[in-house]
Amino acid sequence: MPSANQFTMTTTTGDQKDNLLKKTPYQRLISKDGRSLIRGHAPGYRDKWRAALQDMWGTWLGLRWRWVVLAFCSSFILHWFLFAVLWYLLARVNGDLDVLDHDAPPPGHVLCVKHVTGFTAAFSFALETQLTIGYGTMYPNSDCPIAISLLALQMLLGLMLETFITGAFVAKFSRPQKRCVGILFSPQAVVCEVKGQRCLMFRVTNLLPVSLVDVSVSGILYEERDDHTLHQTAVEFTTDNLGSRPCPLFVSPLTYFYPLTSSSPLHNVIKPSGTSRFELVVFLSASKDSTGCDYNKRTSYLPDEIEHGRCFVKSTPQPGKDRNKNARIDYFDTQPCPLTQDHVEVQMNQAGNDQH
């Protein structure tokens, strides 16, 4: 029989205690698609910028794509503009702007960059240097040490910028959460009886065109109680006779059970007429069979998203090539399953994902 461990975490402020688990969607802890809706204290303007600068990598990965593209374009444009100003100042200080014919400079005058005669030419030279597209009529003079030093500085900073931007794009594309759009949880959980045992159940399916292995599921029940504390209860879901071990193959759909025995901490929480304010958060992790990449997905269920006296309809697992997004309708359909008032508690021994 799965076990449950319980521990308590006390909230900090009175307003957060009263508003922590409202039933409005925007005040839940985890959204249905797995996004965290928890917000910390509201720092000041300076604190926000300081925190962002201290964790630039995390800030970058947390940005939306429109801001990432804007930051990508802006960073390169600012880099080119900065060095265009430096090349222009070098030409101004060295007197290159006063030379009318750069092909025939005055005797004794050493040009730093040939044919940089204005800011537009300096910007074009900075662009050519950074992109290494090859110099044309404009090129640095090896007899000007300052020009060579500035050239080396621009190349070093440019390579650092390109490395950071490229790595950030790769990291943002490869985040496990973004690979899991085809892993779907049932929009509702159900409470029904399986072989005389009342159980809390939900279903998950894989619509991705990849094979997933080592599927493990865990749950946490967050309950706000009368003493204004947030209680967290570990919920160990099982499927078939695997117990707490990972499911070796993700054969869609998978139905996970949690027996609501009299000794279960959830027995008096999840009731049809209960007034408890709680949120059940479910976490799923799996690995791609061919590469070992991690796939993580989560969702949550509020009291009004748990249907009592209903069960999932039987469905036949489909191979990967036959799965499609329309199958989610069949996978997550429910049907009436009357509950007895005084059910007999037995050791649950599921024979299959959908035999209930």
Side-chain angles (χ1 to χ4, degrees):
M1 187 78 64
S3 61
N5 300 322
Q6 187 174 10
F7 54 96
T8 303
M9 180 181 70
T10 304
T11 53
T12 55
T13 64
D15 292 339
Q16 291 176 341
K17 294 171 187 173
D18 295 335
N19 299 321
L20 185 59
L21 291 175
K22 296 291 185 183
K23 291 187 178 181
T24 50
Y26 54 87
Q27 290 180 330
R28 63 198 302 164
L29 301 179
I30 300 296
S31 66
K32 295 297 289 184
D33 59 357
R35 292 178 295 107
S36 174
L37 303 180
I38 301 175
R39 298 293 181 267
H41 70 284
Y45 183 78
R46 292 183 178 179
D47 293 336
K48 288 182 178 180
W49 277 103
R50 185 181 297 111
L53 291 176
Q54 290 176 348
D55 186 19
M56 293 184 62
W57 185 257
T59 301
W60 176 272
L61 294 182
L63 291 176
R64 294 184 178 272
W65 273 109
R66 55 177 175 267
W67 297 113
V68 171
V69 174
L70 179 62
F72 171 82
C73 298
S74 301
S75 60
F76 278 102
I77 292 175
L78 289 176
H79 180 80
W80 299 331
F81 182 81
L82 171 63
F83 278 93
V85 172
L86 295 178
W87 286 116
Y88 178 80
L89 291 177
L90 177 60
R92 170 68 69 182
V93 172
N94 195 52
D96 295 349
L97 300 181
D98 299 327
V99 177
L100 298 179
D101 187 3
H102 278 216
D103 292 327
H109 183 84
V110 178
L111 296 173
C112 285
V113 180
K114 286 287 189 74
H115 298 288
V116 173
T117 57
F119 182 78
T120 303
F123 186 86
S124 177
F125 180 75
L127 186 66
E128 291 177 3
T129 300
Q130 180 60 40
L131 299 180
T132 63
I133 57 179
Y135 294 126
T137 57
M138 293 183 293
Y139 58 89
N141 191 344
S142 59
D143 295 330
C144 180
I146 299 179
I148 301 302
S149 300
L150 186 59
L151 177 66
L153 178 62
Q154 181 178 358
M155 293 300 296
L156 287 175
L157 294 181
L159 288 174
M160 292 174 60
L161 178 62
E162 291 176 359
T163 301
F164 179 84
I165 295 294
T166 303
F169 266 87
V170 172
K172 196 168 180 63
F173 272 116
S174 61
R175 286 187 300 173
Q177 304 95 311
K178 299 301 180 182
R179 297 196 295 264
C180 300
V181 292
I183 299 177
L184 304 177
F185 288 94
S186 57
Q188 71 290 322
V190 299
V191 175
C192 66
E193 292 185 5
V194 179
K195 296 184 178 180
Q197 173 64 64
R198 187 168 298 186
C199 299
L200 170 67
M201 297 188 295
F202 70 90
R203 183 173 282 181
V204 61
T205 186
N206 175 27
L207 300 181
L208 296 172
V210 296
S211 176
L212 300 181
V213 297
D214 296 333
V215 184
S216 61
V217 168
S218 61
I220 299 291
L221 184 85
Y222 294 90
E223 181 191 5
E224 187 180 8
R225 297 187 177 177
D226 296 335
D227 56 354
H228 298 296
T229 56
L230 180 65
H231 290 251
Q232 305 179 68
T233 304
V235 183
E236 297 182 6
F237 288 95
T238 62
T239 182
D240 297 338
N241 296 318
L242 296 178
S244 59
R245 289 174 295 180
C247 183
L249 297 175
F250 199 152
V251 181
S252 294
L254 293 176
T255 305
Y256 282 87
F257 303 79
Y258 179 80
L260 298 174
T261 64
S262 59
S263 60
S264 168
L266 309 187
H267 182 264
N268 295 323
V269 176
I270 301 179
K271 288 187 174 182
S273 58
T275 58
S276 300
R277 299 172 62 189
F278 66 85
E279 181 173 348
L280 176 62
V281 182
V282 179
F283 305 87
L284 179 144
S285 62
S287 300
K288 187 176 180 180
D289 190 19
S290 58
T291 63
C293 293
D294 293 330
Y295 285 71
N296 300 319
K297 192 68 177 287
R298 62 189 177 187
T299 190
S300 69
Y301 298 99
L302 295 180
D304 56 359
E305 295 169 347
I306 298 179
E307 300 181 351
H308 294 260
R310 299 189 68 86
C311 61
F312 293 109
V313 299
K314 294 182 179 181
S315 58
T316 303
Q318 299 179 4
K321 63 180 182 180
D322 295 330
R323 292 195 302 264
N324 58 76
K325 293 187 177 181
N326 294 327
R328 75 182 70 177
I329 301 176
D330 298 330
Y331 287 158
F332 301 149
D333 278 349
T334 61
Q335 62 186 8
C337 181
L339 299 175
T340 59
Q341 294 297 326
D342 298 320
H343 60 280
V344 180
E345 297 178 6
V346 297
Q347 177 69 30
M348 190 173 64
N349 180 24
Q350 300 93 343
N353 290 346
D354 306 297
Q355 294 182 6
H356 48 288

